[in-house]
Amino acid sequence: MPLFRRAKKSVSPTAPPVPAWCSWFSPAQWQAFQALLRDVFVDGTASGPPLALGADRVLRLAGPDGSPITLDLSSLAVALRDAPQDHWRARTVEFVEERLHRGDEREILYAESFDRVRHLLLPRVVRAEHVFDDTHGLAFPLTREISAVLAIRLEGGLAAPVPPGQIGRWGVTPEQAWDAALANLHALPLSLEDDGGANPMVSVTDPAGFTCTHLMRAAEILGRPAPHGILVMAPREGFLMMQAVDGPELKWSVIGYSEVTLQHYDDAPEPARLCPRVLWIHENRIESVGVTPAPPGSDAPGVISGSEEFVRLLSSFDPPGEGA
């Protein structure tokens, strides 16, 4: 008998076998994973159309009180990745029950006054494609790849997005909620390491688990003049490195950092991936910078693309007669 009731909105389009969000599954494991979900969750006419999985990896569950809870199947797939297959069902039940409990915890926090929860608010940098109108009450695009959303900290180092309407129920404005979140971000303790160079590459770690979100305070963390901006690598959760732009080395830094960024992005589990491109932060703006590799066998360094302002900056450091 299925253990959990699936909400009617949890309809997902069919997609090719073994979608990218669980690419480590073999075809047989992917079939077993789908069978497991159909076994654990109510299917068919009792709760809407039959369960179909693929590119859309989100299921919407009905919590104990009927409130909707979103289940990210890619996170579940990661939880099962290293488990023997005969343990999958037990681990799935444990995984879902934990999220149902987290849903209860959120409801308790949402019922509190703003003054009681303001210390728990934080911004969080997420992939832009993971921002949903019915899930995130406050979100700001940073680049086309990443956005910042308002989140609330939960027990166990977890966090949940603040849903639409909740800020109003707290009786404050979005600006007040966001200012509180930013103040909390700036107050978080960090672990910093650098390579000891004259223009050091700084590695940032946040023990609270919000490491990549600290790119929003890159200038403060770097703590040195950066008139030409800061290059940032944030390919996956838990990985954040930054360096002030060093004029003569800008081209080679972007090319080298792009390779490192893409490698870490590709190696990360799909749910942990953040931005596959190098970021340039300048005058409180963030943009992603691309590198098109040269053809195989070519000695050319590749082609760097970005905004007109970035390309102009890049060209200003070239010797006469040379381009980016």
Side-chain angles (χ1 to χ4, degrees):
M1 175 179 180
L3 299 178
F4 302 99
R5 180 166 297 278
R6 187 164 52 93
K8 289 186 178 182
K9 290 185 178 180
S10 57
V11 181
S12 305
T14 304
V18 193
W21 52 264
C22 58
S23 58
W24 55 84
F25 281 157
S26 68
Q29 288 174 317
W30 168 236
Q31 293 300 320
F33 182 67
Q34 293 178 90
L36 169 71
L37 294 174
R38 292 190 176 97
D39 179 44
V40 171
F41 296 96
V42 171
D43 204 2
T45 57
S47 61
L51 178 63
L53 302 172
D56 183 355
R57 63 175 184 269
V58 173
L59 284 182
R60 299 187 187 281
L61 309 178
D65 61 354
S67 60
I69 296 175
T70 299
L71 178 66
D72 185 341
L73 295 179
S74 62
S75 297
L76 173 58
V78 170
L80 302 182
R81 183 174 186 174
D82 298 321
Q85 200 162 316
D86 59 354
H87 292 180
W88 278 14
R89 195 177 197 279
R91 185 165 292 190
T92 296
V93 172
E94 179 183 349
F95 180 92
V96 176
E97 287 179 340
E98 179 186 3
R99 271 138 187 83
L100 292 176
H101 169 72
R102 295 299 176 193
D104 294 340
E105 181 185 344
R106 289 196 297 270
E107 292 306 315
I108 292 172
L109 293 175
Y110 295 156
E112 294 281 5
S113 68
F114 181 71
D115 286 340
R116 295 287 297 273
V117 301
R118 65 183 304 151
H119 69 288
L120 297 174
L121 297 178
L122 281 169
R124 184 152 214 168
V125 173
V126 299
R127 293 221 306 269
E129 66 197 75
H130 290 174
V131 177
F132 305 103
D133 291 341
D134 60 349
T135 303
H136 298 89
L138 194 58
F140 302 97
L142 300 178
T143 72
R144 62 185 178 183
E145 296 89 3
I146 57 175
S147 295
V149 300
L150 181 64
I152 189 165
R153 296 176 68 173
L154 306 176
E155 294 177 2
L158 300 179
V162 174
Q166 182 57 45
I167 295 173
R169 287 190 288 273
W170 278 326
V172 297
T173 66
E175 291 77 14
Q176 289 171 316
W178 191 248
D179 286 346
L182 289 176
N184 293 336
L185 179 70
H186 284 261
L188 289 178
L190 297 176
S191 174
L192 305 179
E193 296 182 7
D194 65 59
D195 58 12
N199 179 29
M201 169 66 75
V202 178
S203 175
V204 181
T205 303
D206 174 6
F210 283 71
T211 292
C212 290
T213 300
H214 291 280
L215 67 86
M216 299 174 64
R217 51 186 288 213
E220 172 202 340
I221 292 171
L222 202 60
R224 66 190 308 270
H228 300 304
I230 302 169
L231 295 179
V232 173
M233 293 184 283
R236 59 173 174 80
E237 291 183 4
F239 185 109
L240 179 62
M241 302 186 77
M242 58 184 67
Q243 184 180 40
V245 170
D246 184 357
E249 298 298 326
L250 178 57
K251 177 189 296 185
W252 302 109
S253 294
V254 170
I255 292 172
Y257 297 162
S258 292
E259 293 178 357
V260 172
T261 298
L262 188 57
Q263 185 63 57
H264 279 275
Y265 180 88
D266 287 342
D267 288 346
E270 201 280 341
R273 292 175 178 173
L274 191 59
C275 184
R277 292 156 64 100
V278 172
L279 301 171
W280 180 53
I281 300 178
H282 182 54
E283 296 181 347
N284 296 321
R285 293 185 298 103
I286 303 175
E287 72 168 87
S288 56
V289 179
V291 176
T292 303
S298 170
D299 293 332
V303 178
I304 300 173
S305 59
S307 66
E308 290 185 10
E309 182 181 0
F310 183 79
V311 172
R312 253 194 327 268
L313 174 65
L314 189 67
S315 299
S316 71
F317 299 123
D318 283 328
E322 295 187 15

